[in-house]
Amino acid sequence: MTGVPADDRGSHRATGPDRYHLRLFSGGRLVQHGWWGSEGTARDKFRRWIGEYGGMPDARVTLTDENTGEVLAAWPDQP
């Protein structure tokens, strides 16, 4: 995970090591995020973050492909 401030979300390049963006929200606020170049690694982190942080108030975890803008995974699922 890179140490990018939450307010600097838009400045990362959407290729290479910064393609897959994982975000953790609690109470509607971004509290942690990270970037990975490998989709497999990002999906592993996605599952880990659910286990580690899923008990936070109103927790939400999203994984986005920054090349396409597609949300690849979200927890909990949207109704």
Side-chain angles (χ1 to χ4, degrees), residues 12-35:
H12 254 41
R13 292 177 45 214
T15 59
D18 300 334
R19 179 171 179 175
Y20 299 99
H21 193 185
L22 189 57
R23 293 178 180 101
L24 167 65
F25 298 87
S26 179
R29 297 183 61 160
L30 180 66
V31 295
Q32 180 170 306
H33 70 123
W35 302 82

Side-chain angles (χ1 to χ4, degrees), residues 7 10 13 16-17 20 27 41 46-47 49 53 57-58 69 76:
D7 293 340
R13 292 177 45 214
Y20 299 99
T41 299
F46 175 82
R47 287 187 290 275
W49 283 20
Y53 306 112
D58 299 316

Side-chain angles (χ1 to χ4, degrees), residues 41-57:
T41 299
R43 287 186 181 275
D44 286 345
K45 293 286 186 179
F46 175 82
R47 287 187 290 275
R48 270 193 221 156
W49 283 20
I50 292 168
E52 292 175 18
Y53 306 112
M56 294 175 73

